[in-house]
Amino acid sequence: MAEAFCPVYAALNLLQEKWTLHIIRALLEGPKGFNELSRAVGGVNPATLSQRLDQLVRLGVVEKRVESYMPPRTRYSLTPAGEELEEVVQAIERWARRHLKAPDPAR
């Protein structure tokens, strides 16, 4: 028997993938090339970034636009569905500011 689709479960599975929300947050600032996005996210290896971007493109959250082949230049931006995640990111930020404290550098 097939399990019923749960949109909350599906969304949490997507957004909990390492680097996914970081990528979305960086793209909320505007379109970025691959290297620019890598620097904005910080710490993600290129293979993982490429994999996450491919997944987000397949799901319709991110749009990939090839600007040139020689040299290779690709631009990534959020689709309208991706832009709607700004509310999610803002909600997480509001919660974190209220409930999480910055680490004490002395510890």
Side-chain angles (χ1 to χ4, degrees):
M1 184 159 129
E3 292 183 30
F5 174 73
C6 176
V8 173
Y9 184 83
L12 289 175
N13 273 347
L14 167 66
L15 297 176
Q16 64 126 9
E17 289 269 352
K18 190 166 185 177
W19 302 110
T20 297
L21 277 172
H22 296 281
I23 293 165
I24 291 166
R25 187 171 183 220
L27 289 175
L28 283 169
E29 298 169 0
K32 293 184 176 12
F34 187 87
N35 291 333
E36 186 183 9
L37 187 55
S38 179
R39 286 189 298 275
V41 170
V44 60
N45 75 50
T48 301
L49 179 57
S50 181
Q51 182 185 43
R52 293 296 180 272
L53 285 168
D54 287 347
Q55 178 186 31
L56 292 168
V57 168
R58 271 194 321 275
L59 293 170
V61 176
V62 169
E63 178 183 31
K64 175 181 179 178
R65 192 173 79 235
V66 177
E67 294 184 338
S68 70
Y69 291 97
M70 282 304 199
R73 184 167 288 127
T74 306
R75 205 116 183 101
Y76 295 91
S77 59
L78 293 174
T79 64
E83 289 171 354
E84 286 184 37
L85 287 168
E86 183 169 12
E87 296 173 32
V88 174
V89 171
Q90 288 175 348
I92 291 169
E93 181 181 8
R94 280 191 307 274
W95 181 88
R97 288 185 183 280
R98 279 196 301 265
H99 301 289
L100 300 178
K101 304 292 181 233
D104 183 353
R107 289 185 184 189

XYZ file of all heavy atoms in Angstrom:
851
model
N 0.840 -1.180 0.000
C 0.000 0.000 0.000
C 0.889 1.248 0.000
O 1.803 1.371 0.808
C -0.886 -0.018 1.242
C -1.863 1.113 1.292
S -3.201 0.668 2.404
C -3.244 2.079 3.431
N 0.633 2.174 -0.883
C 1.434 3.392 -0.998
C 1.080 4.353 0.138
O -0.077 4.474 0.530
C 1.176 4.064 -2.340
N 2.128 5.001 0.634
C 1.898 5.985 1.687
C 1.369 7.271 1.068
O 1.728 7.625 -0.051
C 3.207 6.264 2.425
C 3.696 5.083 3.220
C 4.958 5.406 4.006
O 5.141 6.566 4.399
O 5.736 4.478 4.215
N 0.546 7.978 1.818
C 0.005 9.246 1.347
C 1.119 10.294 1.318
O 2.009 10.291 2.167
C -1.128 9.698 2.260
N 1.065 11.160 0.326
C 2.035 12.242 0.214
C 1.803 13.246 1.330
O 0.682 13.690 1.552
C 1.892 12.929 -1.150
C 2.757 14.149 -1.297
C 4.126 14.027 -1.459
C 2.202 15.417 -1.261
C 4.935 15.147 -1.598
C 2.998 16.537 -1.390
C 4.367 16.401 -1.565
N 2.863 13.596 2.039
C 2.782 14.615 3.084
C 3.666 15.784 2.656
O 4.894 15.650 2.620
C 3.246 14.057 4.419
S 3.287 15.310 5.720
N 3.076 16.927 2.305
C 3.870 18.053 1.829
C 4.865 18.577 2.869
O 5.966 19.000 2.507
C 2.842 19.116 1.448
C 1.536 18.649 1.965
C 1.643 17.195 2.286
N 4.506 18.533 4.136
C 5.429 19.005 5.173
C 6.650 18.090 5.239
O 7.795 18.555 5.277
C 4.727 19.098 6.553
C 5.733 19.419 7.650
C 3.623 20.141 6.524
N 6.425 16.801 5.216
C 7.513 15.820 5.241
C 8.433 16.024 4.035
O 9.658 16.058 4.161
C 6.919 14.410 5.257
C 7.939 13.307 5.391
C 8.425 12.940 6.641
C 8.412 12.644 4.276
C 9.362 11.925 6.774
C 9.350 11.623 4.388
C 9.822 11.276 5.647
O 10.753 10.279 5.767
N 7.825 16.200 2.847
C 8.603 16.388 1.620
C 9.419 17.680 1.679
O 10.595 17.702 1.299
C 7.682 16.391 0.410
N 8.815 18.760 2.162
C 9.519 20.048 2.255
C 10.660 19.973 3.261
O 11.768 20.465 3.000
C 8.540 21.157 2.641
N 10.421 19.344 4.410
C 11.479 19.213 5.406
C 12.631 18.365 4.881
O 13.799 18.671 5.124
C 10.936 18.635 6.709
C 10.045 19.576 7.514
C 9.460 18.858 8.720
C 10.799 20.811 7.947
N 12.317 17.300 4.152
C 13.375 16.477 3.563
C 14.233 17.288 2.601
O 15.451 17.154 2.585
C 12.793 15.259 2.853
C 12.589 14.105 3.796
O 13.088 14.099 4.913
N 11.841 13.126 3.347
N 13.614 18.129 1.811
C 14.361 18.969 0.879
C 15.206 19.997 1.633
O 16.415 20.119 1.403
C 13.401 19.697 -0.069
C 14.034 20.834 -0.884
C 15.072 20.281 -1.857
C 12.974 21.628 -1.605
N 14.582 20.725 2.533
C 15.262 21.850 3.182
C 16.305 21.416 4.202
O 17.204 22.188 4.525
C 14.229 22.783 3.828
C 13.271 23.432 2.825
C 12.221 24.249 3.559
C 14.011 24.268 1.796
N 16.232 20.185 4.689
C 17.212 19.729 5.669
C 18.503 19.253 5.016
O 19.496 19.054 5.688
C 16.619 18.614 6.539
C 16.282 17.385 5.734
C 16.906 16.127 6.276
O 17.473 16.121 7.342
N 16.794 15.059 5.510
N 18.509 19.078 3.687
C 19.728 18.677 2.988
C 20.812 19.706 3.277
O 20.572 20.911 3.180
C 19.496 18.630 1.472
C 18.625 17.514 1.013
C 19.410 16.262 0.669
O 20.642 16.295 0.639
O 18.744 15.247 0.441
N 21.997 19.229 3.611
C 23.089 20.143 3.937
C 23.330 21.109 2.780
O 23.382 20.696 1.627
C 24.360 19.352 4.249
C 25.441 20.238 4.815
C 26.550 19.450 5.427
C 27.528 20.423 6.066
N 28.595 19.768 6.742
N 23.448 22.368 3.070
C 23.734 23.492 2.176
C 22.514 24.028 1.448
O 22.580 25.129 0.892
C 24.835 23.152 1.160
C 26.111 22.736 1.807
C 26.657 21.478 1.801
C 26.985 23.541 2.591
N 27.814 21.469 2.527
C 28.049 22.723 3.024
C 26.983 24.882 2.978
C 29.088 23.189 3.807
C 28.016 25.356 3.762
C 29.055 24.515 4.172
N 21.397 23.330 1.426
C 20.254 23.788 0.636
C 19.755 25.151 1.079
O 19.606 26.062 0.257
C 19.120 22.738 0.672
O 19.609 21.549 0.062
C 17.888 23.215 -0.066
N 19.507 25.336 2.360
C 19.016 26.641 2.827
C 20.079 27.721 2.679
O 19.757 28.884 2.429
C 18.523 26.558 4.274
C 17.097 26.035 4.417
C 16.758 25.799 5.882
C 16.090 26.968 3.775
N 21.343 27.362 2.790
C 22.417 28.337 2.577
C 22.398 28.827 1.127
O 22.587 30.023 0.864
C 23.785 27.721 2.896
C 23.946 27.333 4.323
N 24.237 28.241 5.316
C 23.863 26.128 4.936
C 24.330 27.613 6.473
N 24.101 26.322 6.263
N 22.190 27.912 0.196
C 22.121 28.270 -1.226
C 20.929 29.179 -1.474
O 21.049 30.227 -2.122
C 22.032 26.992 -2.102
C 23.341 26.200 -2.007
C 21.681 27.341 -3.542
C 23.246 24.771 -2.530
N 19.788 28.802 -0.951
C 18.578 29.607 -1.130
C 18.772 30.991 -0.528
O 18.438 32.000 -1.154
C 17.357 28.884 -0.528
C 17.038 27.651 -1.378
C 16.153 29.815 -0.427
C 16.092 26.666 -0.735
N 19.341 31.045 0.648
C 19.561 32.339 1.308
C 20.488 33.222 0.477
O 20.235 34.421 0.315
C 20.141 32.116 2.705
C 20.244 33.379 3.512
C 20.621 33.071 4.934
N 20.641 34.300 5.710
C 21.548 34.581 6.616
N 22.513 33.721 6.882
N 21.504 35.705 7.282
N 21.546 32.645 -0.065
C 22.472 33.425 -0.903
C 21.771 33.922 -2.163
O 21.982 35.062 -2.593
C 23.692 32.573 -1.261
N 20.913 33.091 -2.759
C 20.226 33.493 -3.983
C 19.095 34.486 -3.726
O 18.648 35.166 -4.651
C 19.699 32.262 -4.727
C 20.785 31.407 -5.380
C 20.184 30.138 -5.983
C 21.562 32.194 -6.423
N 18.649 34.606 -2.479
C 17.657 35.632 -2.149
C 18.238 37.029 -2.367
O 17.502 37.982 -2.590
C 17.170 35.477 -0.700
C 16.168 34.352 -0.462
C 15.973 34.107 1.022
C 14.839 34.660 -1.142
N 19.564 37.138 -2.337
C 20.236 38.423 -2.576
C 20.284 38.757 -4.060
O 20.621 39.877 -4.431
C 21.654 38.383 -2.013
C 21.708 38.170 -0.522
C 23.112 37.879 -0.021
O 24.067 37.842 -0.834
O 23.261 37.685 1.196
N 20.003 37.781 -4.916
C 20.014 38.003 -6.365
C 20.755 36.894 -7.078
O 21.407 36.059 -6.447
N 20.656 36.878 -8.412
C 21.304 35.838 -9.209
C 22.812 35.821 -8.993
O 23.423 36.863 -8.746
C 20.969 36.227 -10.656
C 19.781 37.111 -10.555
C 19.908 37.816 -9.243
N 23.397 34.632 -9.099
C 24.830 34.472 -8.898
C 25.367 33.406 -9.840
O 24.681 32.442 -10.157
C 25.139 34.061 -7.465
C 24.821 35.132 -6.443
C 25.241 34.706 -5.056
C 25.040 35.751 -3.989
N 24.264 36.900 -4.268
N 26.623 33.576 -10.236
C 27.331 32.540 -10.959
C 27.756 31.457 -9.975
O 27.682 31.637 -8.756
N 28.237 30.332 -10.510
C 28.603 29.193 -9.667
C 29.667 29.570 -8.635
O 29.504 29.305 -7.442
C 29.091 28.029 -10.541
C 29.331 26.764 -9.760
C 28.303 25.873 -9.535
C 30.588 26.476 -9.241
C 28.508 24.707 -8.814
C 30.805 25.309 -8.522
C 29.769 24.431 -8.306
N 30.762 30.191 -9.074
C 31.847 30.536 -8.148
C 31.414 31.588 -7.141
O 31.777 31.527 -5.967
C 33.093 30.993 -8.915
C 33.728 29.854 -9.679
O 33.601 28.687 -9.303
N 34.401 30.183 -10.774
N 30.639 32.555 -7.598
C 30.121 33.592 -6.700
C 29.219 32.965 -5.636
O 29.286 33.317 -4.452
C 29.351 34.605 -7.548
C 28.857 35.817 -6.810
C 28.040 36.746 -7.697
O 27.709 36.387 -8.850
O 27.719 37.836 -7.199
N 28.404 32.021 -6.056
C 27.513 31.322 -5.131
C 28.321 30.488 -4.144
O 28.036 30.477 -2.946
C 26.537 30.452 -5.916
C 25.428 29.766 -5.138
C 24.612 30.755 -4.331
C 24.525 29.001 -6.097
N 29.357 29.836 -4.641
C 30.226 29.037 -3.773
C 30.854 29.904 -2.683
O 30.890 29.528 -1.515
C 31.310 28.366 -4.619
O 32.165 27.608 -3.807
N 31.338 31.081 -3.067
C 31.933 32.006 -2.077
C 30.878 32.510 -1.097
O 31.137 32.632 0.095
C 32.610 33.186 -2.783
C 33.921 32.840 -3.448
C 34.659 34.078 -3.937
N 33.911 34.823 -4.940
C 33.914 34.564 -6.243
N 34.620 33.563 -6.725
N 33.208 35.313 -7.080
N 29.677 32.805 -1.597
C 28.608 33.328 -0.734
C 28.175 32.290 0.296
O 27.888 32.626 1.441
C 27.409 33.761 -1.584
N 28.131 31.034 -0.118
C 27.721 29.957 0.790
C 28.856 29.638 1.751
O 28.642 29.477 2.949
C 27.270 28.709 -0.007
C 27.074 27.526 0.913
C 25.990 29.015 -0.781
N 30.075 29.552 1.242
C 31.251 29.306 2.075
C 31.321 27.888 2.608
O 30.399 27.410 3.253
N 32.401 27.173 2.295
C 32.639 25.865 2.883
C 32.072 24.670 2.129
O 32.376 23.540 2.464
N 31.259 24.905 1.122
C 30.672 23.798 0.370
C 31.640 23.398 -0.743
O 32.198 24.244 -1.421
C 29.286 24.173 -0.208
C 29.349 25.346 -1.149
C 28.624 22.990 -0.884
N 31.841 22.084 -0.918
C 32.727 21.675 -2.007
C 31.967 21.753 -3.327
O 30.742 21.649 -3.355
C 33.386 20.312 -1.734
C 32.453 19.145 -1.920
O 31.780 19.018 -2.938
N 32.424 18.266 -0.931
N 32.679 21.965 -4.428
C 32.022 22.173 -5.724
C 31.108 21.030 -6.152
O 30.044 21.281 -6.727
C 33.198 22.333 -6.697
C 34.332 22.802 -5.849
C 34.132 22.158 -4.511
N 31.487 19.792 -5.886
C 30.637 18.658 -6.282
C 29.305 18.693 -5.545
O 28.240 18.456 -6.135
C 31.361 17.335 -6.018
N 29.341 19.001 -4.249
C 28.105 19.077 -3.455
C 27.251 20.246 -3.918
O 26.030 20.108 -4.056
C 28.434 19.203 -1.955
O 29.199 18.069 -1.553
C 27.175 19.298 -1.117
N 27.877 21.395 -4.164
C 27.128 22.561 -4.629
C 26.442 22.244 -5.957
O 25.261 22.539 -6.140
C 28.050 23.774 -4.768
C 27.390 25.053 -5.275
C 26.226 25.480 -4.382
C 28.427 26.171 -5.380
N 27.165 21.621 -6.863
C 26.607 21.257 -8.160
C 25.426 20.298 -7.997
O 24.372 20.467 -8.638
C 27.695 20.618 -9.019
O 27.188 20.284 -10.273
N 25.578 19.315 -7.120
C 24.502 18.342 -6.865
C 23.268 19.031 -6.294
O 22.140 18.776 -6.725
C 25.020 17.273 -5.909
C 24.032 16.185 -5.596
C 24.565 15.220 -4.543
O 25.159 15.625 -3.544
N 24.367 13.931 -4.785
N 23.468 19.894 -5.305
C 22.327 20.591 -4.696
C 21.636 21.488 -5.718
O 20.409 21.550 -5.783
C 22.760 21.439 -3.492
C 23.255 20.669 -2.304
C 22.184 19.787 -1.682
N 22.723 19.075 -0.554
C 23.337 17.892 -0.625
N 23.465 17.287 -1.781
N 23.797 17.306 0.447
N 22.422 22.209 -6.519
C 21.830 23.092 -7.519
C 21.029 22.292 -8.544
O 19.918 22.681 -8.906
C 22.913 23.915 -8.213
C 23.490 25.054 -7.366
C 24.751 25.612 -8.011
C 22.452 26.152 -7.145
N 21.575 21.164 -8.992
C 20.845 20.313 -9.948
C 19.511 19.866 -9.351
O 18.479 19.875 -10.031
C 21.676 19.091 -10.340
C 22.829 19.429 -11.264
O 22.865 20.562 -11.814
O 23.719 18.564 -11.430
N 19.537 19.477 -8.079
C 18.305 19.039 -7.410
C 17.303 20.189 -7.319
O 16.119 20.015 -7.602
C 18.636 18.519 -6.009
C 17.416 18.087 -5.223
C 17.739 17.705 -3.791
O 18.669 18.257 -3.189
N 17.003 16.772 -3.242
N 17.768 21.376 -6.950
C 16.885 22.529 -6.819
C 16.325 22.960 -8.173
O 15.181 23.411 -8.254
C 17.614 23.683 -6.118
C 17.931 23.431 -4.640
C 18.901 24.470 -4.103
C 16.655 23.383 -3.804
N 17.116 22.808 -9.233
C 16.631 23.098 -10.587
C 15.546 22.088 -10.971
O 14.478 22.462 -11.466
C 17.802 23.096 -11.607
C 17.278 23.089 -13.037
C 18.714 24.296 -11.377
N 15.803 20.796 -10.720
C 14.807 19.752 -11.035
C 13.488 19.995 -10.316
O 12.419 19.722 -10.860
C 15.337 18.373 -10.633
C 16.124 17.665 -11.677
C 16.338 16.183 -11.364
N 16.598 15.861 -9.977
C 17.803 15.910 -9.390
N 18.858 16.274 -10.070
N 17.945 15.593 -8.120
N 13.573 20.495 -9.088
C 12.368 20.714 -8.280
C 11.683 22.043 -8.579
O 10.637 22.346 -8.010
C 12.719 20.628 -6.794
C 13.135 19.238 -6.315
C 13.692 19.305 -4.900
C 11.969 18.269 -6.390
N 12.295 22.861 -9.441
C 11.674 24.135 -9.808
C 11.875 25.242 -8.795
O 11.129 26.218 -8.790
N 12.886 25.113 -7.940
C 13.173 26.127 -6.924
C 14.207 27.122 -7.437
O 14.171 28.304 -7.116
C 13.664 25.450 -5.614
C 14.072 26.467 -4.573
C 12.575 24.526 -5.067
N 15.133 26.619 -8.262
C 16.211 27.435 -8.816
C 16.170 27.318 -10.333
O 15.853 26.258 -10.879
C 17.591 26.966 -8.271
C 18.747 27.599 -9.024
C 17.700 27.271 -6.785
N 16.503 28.417 -11.007
C 16.610 28.425 -12.463
C 18.085 28.537 -12.837
O 18.827 29.331 -12.239
C 15.852 29.615 -13.035
C 15.950 29.723 -14.534
C 15.249 30.953 -15.087
O 15.192 31.983 -14.385
O 14.774 30.880 -16.222
N 18.496 27.740 -13.802
C 19.872 27.756 -14.298
C 19.856 28.336 -15.699
O 19.107 27.869 -16.563
C 20.422 26.325 -14.325
C 21.797 26.193 -14.926
C 22.217 24.727 -14.929
C 23.591 24.544 -15.536
N 24.002 23.130 -15.489
N 20.677 29.364 -15.913
C 20.759 29.980 -17.229
C 22.205 29.945 -17.711
O 23.087 30.520 -17.060
C 20.246 31.415 -17.188
C 20.037 31.996 -18.579
C 19.376 33.363 -18.560
N 20.367 34.375 -18.225
C 20.270 35.239 -17.231
N 19.215 35.228 -16.446
N 21.212 36.117 -17.013
N 22.458 29.283 -18.806
C 23.798 29.231 -19.382
C 23.991 30.510 -20.185
O 23.256 30.779 -21.128
C 23.983 27.979 -20.273
C 25.353 27.982 -20.922
C 23.774 26.712 -19.457
N 24.983 31.309 -19.766
C 25.239 32.584 -20.436
C 26.279 32.445 -21.530
O 26.250 33.189 -22.501
C 25.644 33.643 -19.415
C 24.511 33.973 -18.460
C 24.845 35.092 -17.503
O 26.041 35.348 -17.258
O 23.900 35.698 -16.985
N 27.240 31.510 -21.356
C 28.220 31.262 -22.412
C 28.838 29.889 -22.186
O 28.854 29.378 -21.073
C 29.303 32.342 -22.420
O 30.139 32.239 -21.297
N 29.315 29.317 -23.284
C 29.956 28.006 -23.203
C 31.475 28.128 -23.186
O 32.158 27.292 -22.637
C 29.501 27.122 -24.376
C 28.049 26.729 -24.251
C 27.059 27.429 -24.921
C 27.669 25.671 -23.435
C 25.724 27.082 -24.801
C 26.344 25.316 -23.296
C 25.369 26.019 -23.984
O 24.055 25.667 -23.840
N 31.998 29.157 -23.837
C 33.445 29.386 -23.860
C 33.721 30.826 -23.532
O 33.488 31.684 -24.376
C 34.022 29.041 -25.234
C 34.182 27.579 -25.421
S 35.193 26.935 -24.104
C 35.728 25.422 -24.782
N 34.158 31.178 -22.365
C 34.326 30.275 -21.230
C 32.960 29.887 -20.645
O 31.997 30.627 -20.811
C 35.130 31.116 -20.233
C 34.727 32.531 -20.532
C 34.487 32.561 -22.031
N 32.927 28.760 -19.933
C 31.637 28.357 -19.358
C 31.178 29.366 -18.291
O 31.942 29.719 -17.402
C 31.921 26.990 -18.736
C 33.393 26.829 -18.732
C 33.988 27.823 -19.660
N 29.965 29.854 -18.465
C 29.415 30.813 -17.503
C 27.935 30.514 -17.322
O 27.172 30.532 -18.285
C 29.633 32.240 -18.009
C 29.175 33.281 -16.999
C 29.660 34.666 -17.326
N 31.098 34.735 -17.058
C 32.017 35.144 -17.930
N 31.658 35.521 -19.130
N 33.287 35.185 -17.614
N 27.578 30.217 -16.095
C 26.198 29.868 -15.766
C 25.723 30.783 -14.653
O 26.486 31.128 -13.756
C 26.118 28.400 -15.302
O 26.706 27.578 -16.311
C 24.697 27.953 -15.084
N 24.473 31.172 -14.709
C 23.885 32.044 -13.691
C 22.715 31.301 -13.057
O 21.895 30.691 -13.753
C 23.375 33.309 -14.371
C 23.313 34.471 -13.472
C 24.309 35.532 -13.989
N 24.323 36.654 -13.090
C 25.279 36.844 -12.193
N 26.273 36.022 -12.095
N 25.237 37.883 -11.401
N 22.638 31.368 -11.741
C 21.556 30.727 -10.987
C 20.708 31.802 -10.326
O 21.225 32.789 -9.811
C 22.129 29.800 -9.920
C 22.879 28.634 -10.508
C 24.239 28.710 -10.753
C 22.208 27.452 -10.838
C 24.923 27.646 -11.314
C 22.889 26.388 -11.398
C 24.245 26.492 -11.630
O 24.910 25.440 -12.194
N 19.415 31.595 -10.339
C 18.497 32.510 -9.663
C 17.321 31.698 -9.123
O 17.075 30.569 -9.557
C 18.002 33.590 -10.621
O 17.343 33.008 -11.721
N 16.612 32.295 -8.202
C 15.433 31.629 -7.646
C 14.251 31.785 -8.590
O 14.078 32.829 -9.220
C 15.081 32.224 -6.278
C 16.083 31.968 -5.160
C 15.678 32.724 -3.905
C 16.212 30.485 -4.865
N 13.448 30.764 -8.682
C 12.177 30.839 -9.388
C 11.180 31.489 -8.428
O 11.490 31.700 -7.242
C 11.680 29.427 -9.753
O 11.423 28.720 -8.531
C 12.685 28.678 -10.619
N 9.976 31.798 -8.885
C 8.970 32.310 -7.939
C 8.762 31.368 -6.741
O 8.608 31.823 -5.605
C 7.712 32.433 -8.801
C 8.255 32.749 -10.168
C 9.501 31.891 -10.277
N 8.802 30.053 -6.981
C 8.659 29.099 -5.867
C 9.824 29.242 -4.893
O 9.643 29.191 -3.673
C 8.594 27.669 -6.394
N 11.028 29.435 -5.417
C 12.196 29.632 -4.564
C 12.114 30.934 -3.791
O 12.477 30.991 -2.615
N 11.624 31.980 -4.445
C 11.494 33.279 -3.768
C 10.520 33.208 -2.598
O 10.681 33.917 -1.610
C 11.058 34.349 -4.770
C 12.157 34.702 -5.750
C 11.696 35.605 -6.881
O 10.468 35.884 -6.979
O 12.556 36.023 -7.668
N 9.516 32.332 -2.709
C 8.561 32.180 -1.607
C 9.219 31.629 -0.348
O 8.690 31.788 0.753
C 7.401 31.278 -2.023
C 6.427 31.950 -2.962
C 5.234 31.059 -3.272
O 4.768 30.333 -2.366
O 4.772 31.094 -4.425
N 10.384 30.995 -0.497
C 11.100 30.471 0.674
C 11.715 31.577 1.523
O 12.177 31.324 2.625
C 12.167 29.468 0.238
C 11.605 28.132 -0.238
C 12.684 27.311 -0.919
C 11.003 27.368 0.934
N 11.681 32.814 1.016
C 12.189 33.934 1.821
C 11.434 34.016 3.148
O 12.026 34.288 4.192
C 12.070 35.252 1.062
C 12.663 36.410 1.837
C 12.801 37.676 1.013
O 12.250 37.755 -0.094
O 13.479 38.596 1.495
N 10.147 33.755 3.121
C 9.348 33.778 4.360
C 9.849 32.728 5.347
O 9.869 32.959 6.549
C 7.872 33.532 4.049
C 7.235 34.607 3.208
C 5.816 34.242 2.778
O 5.122 33.532 3.540
O 5.414 34.659 1.686
N 10.237 31.563 4.838
C 10.752 30.490 5.692
C 12.074 30.915 6.312
O 12.288 30.770 7.518
C 10.927 29.181 4.877
C 11.595 28.101 5.708
C 9.583 28.712 4.330
N 12.967 31.468 5.487
C 14.277 31.911 5.977
C 14.093 33.017 7.017
O 14.747 33.013 8.065
C 15.170 32.378 4.803
C 16.446 33.035 5.304
C 15.488 31.196 3.887
N 13.193 33.958 6.764
C 12.937 35.034 7.723
C 12.360 34.492 9.027
O 12.716 34.968 10.109
C 12.009 36.084 7.119
C 12.679 36.926 6.067
C 11.707 37.880 5.379
O 10.480 37.778 5.514
N 12.260 38.817 4.629
N 11.495 33.507 8.944
C 10.923 32.910 10.158
C 12.018 32.228 10.978
O 12.051 32.347 12.210
C 9.819 31.917 9.800
N 12.929 31.532 10.313
C 14.040 30.881 11.017
C 14.920 31.945 11.672
O 15.329 31.795 12.822
C 14.857 29.996 10.045
C 14.023 28.786 9.609
C 16.173 29.554 10.688
C 14.622 28.001 8.451
N 15.189 33.026 10.939
C 16.022 34.095 11.501
C 15.360 34.730 12.732
O 16.011 34.939 13.760
C 16.295 35.170 10.451
C 17.172 36.285 11.001
C 17.464 37.382 10.007
O 16.877 37.385 8.902
O 18.279 38.250 10.341
N 14.065 35.011 12.642
C 13.356 35.598 13.802
C 13.440 34.667 15.002
O 13.718 35.098 16.128
C 11.890 35.871 13.457
C 11.657 37.126 12.676
C 10.171 37.494 12.590
N 9.326 36.407 12.098
C 9.089 36.148 10.808
N 9.618 36.901 9.880
N 8.299 35.152 10.471
N 13.187 33.387 14.784
C 13.246 32.416 15.877
C 14.652 32.362 16.463
O 14.827 32.386 17.688
C 12.818 31.036 15.372
C 12.843 30.019 16.463
C 11.830 29.723 17.327
C 13.947 29.198 16.843
N 12.241 28.753 18.218
C 13.543 28.425 17.945
C 15.245 29.048 16.372
C 14.373 27.510 18.568
C 16.090 28.133 16.999
C 15.647 27.369 18.074
N 15.662 32.294 15.605
C 17.050 32.186 16.070
C 17.472 33.411 16.870
O 18.149 33.294 17.901
C 17.989 31.982 14.879
N 17.080 34.592 16.423
C 17.441 35.814 17.169
C 16.805 35.828 18.559
O 17.383 36.347 19.501
C 17.032 37.057 16.379
C 17.919 37.293 15.171
C 17.566 38.608 14.477
N 18.351 38.796 13.299
C 19.602 39.245 13.276
N 20.203 39.548 14.395
N 20.238 39.400 12.136
N 15.621 35.257 18.669
C 14.940 35.219 19.967
C 15.481 34.136 20.893
O 15.521 34.310 22.103
C 13.437 34.991 19.781
C 12.671 36.233 19.429
C 11.167 36.066 19.621
N 10.599 34.999 18.836
C 10.025 35.145 17.638
N 9.957 36.324 17.087
N 9.535 34.112 17.004
N 15.883 33.009 20.322
C 16.136 31.841 21.163
C 17.567 31.319 21.172
O 17.891 30.488 22.018
C 15.195 30.698 20.765
C 13.753 31.078 20.904
N 13.122 31.244 22.119
C 12.819 31.363 19.963
C 11.875 31.592 21.926
N 11.658 31.674 20.628
N 18.397 31.738 20.246
C 19.770 31.250 20.210
C 20.727 32.383 20.560
O 20.542 33.504 20.123
C 20.119 30.689 18.824
C 19.267 29.521 18.352
C 19.698 29.102 16.949
C 19.356 28.343 19.301
N 21.706 32.059 21.339
C 22.698 33.050 21.743
C 23.976 32.817 20.950
O 24.338 31.677 20.651
C 23.006 32.927 23.254
C 21.784 33.049 24.133
C 21.232 34.462 24.087
C 20.018 34.591 24.975
N 18.863 35.136 24.335
N 24.685 33.899 20.660
C 25.981 33.780 19.986
C 26.927 33.029 20.893
O 26.883 33.193 22.121
C 26.535 35.162 19.663
N 27.791 32.180 20.327
C 28.732 31.441 21.173
C 29.669 32.389 21.896
O 30.054 33.430 21.371
C 29.494 30.555 20.197
C 29.040 30.914 18.826
C 27.921 31.895 18.931
N 30.010 32.029 23.129
C 30.933 32.821 23.945
C 32.355 32.519 23.468
O 32.817 31.377 23.571
C 30.762 32.441 25.414
C 31.632 33.273 26.343
O 32.466 34.063 25.849
O 31.445 33.138 27.557
N 33.063 33.520 22.903
C 34.403 33.269 22.391
C 35.398 32.838 23.464
O 36.426 32.233 23.159
C 34.826 34.593 21.758
C 33.856 35.603 22.231
C 32.648 34.889 22.753
N 35.096 33.104 24.728
C 36.001 32.743 25.819
C 35.956 31.245 26.123
O 36.804 30.727 26.831
C 35.644 33.542 27.073
N 34.941 30.553 25.606
C 34.810 29.110 25.910
C 35.457 28.263 24.874
O 35.477 28.360 23.762
C 33.348 28.733 26.028
C 32.759 29.306 27.279
C 31.358 28.817 27.437
N 30.787 29.464 28.610
C 29.660 29.146 29.111
N 28.946 28.197 28.601
N 29.184 29.765 30.168
